[in-house]
Amino acid sequence: MDHFNHRLTDARNIGPVIAKKLNEIGIHSLTALAILTPVKAYIRLANQSKKTPPVSHYLYALQGALMNVYWIKLPKRLKKELIDKLEKERGRELKEI
């Protein structure tokens, strides 16, 4: 987990655009992303955006950044787990309104 000590833009899958958006929602490090979780970070990004960000460019990318793996290399099973968690969190979010 040595890659957690680097800047966001040094992480795999996180370029300047995603890093800027993460900073806008209060995430300035991979440690902060890990604590919040990629799913919750994705939801915050989606809530802040006029258009829902693509899952592959954001949710999978954030998970891959934590694992130091390109998002496209994430196992299908993990991608499904992330989508399931996203749907569950969004359901909770809707119930709280």
Side-chain angles (χ1 to χ4, degrees):
M1 294 214 193
D2 183 44
H3 67 284
F4 272 58
N5 297 325
H6 299 286
R7 294 175 303 160
L8 281 173
T9 52
D10 292 335
R12 232 176 266 263
N13 308 313
I14 299 182
V17 172
I18 293 177
K20 182 177 184 282
K21 289 180 182 200
L22 288 171
N23 289 167
E24 290 170 359
I25 62 167
I27 297 173
H28 301 279
S29 68
L30 287 178
T31 301
L33 175 60
I35 291 168
L36 182 61
T37 77
V39 170
K40 289 180 181 175
Y42 175 86
I43 290 170
R44 285 189 185 177
L45 290 168
N47 288 342
Q48 185 174 321
S49 178
K50 292 180 179 156
K51 290 185 346 182
T52 302
V55 171
S56 61
H57 291 156
Y58 287 84
L59 180 58
Y60 298 160
L62 298 176
Q63 181 65 46
L66 293 180
M67 297 171 62
N68 199 25
V69 173
Y70 289 112
W71 71 266
I72 202 154
K73 300 277 187 181
L74 292 176
K76 287 182 183 180
R77 184 190 93 258
L78 178 55
K79 289 178 181 178
K80 178 166 179 2
E81 286 175 18
L82 289 168
I83 294 298
D84 290 346
K85 286 178 184 179
L86 177 62
E87 289 172 353
K88 185 176 180 181
E89 285 294 327
R90 281 186 170 162
R92 275 192 202 149
E93 206 173 73
L94 292 175
K95 289 177 187 173
E96 290 173 2
I97 294 175

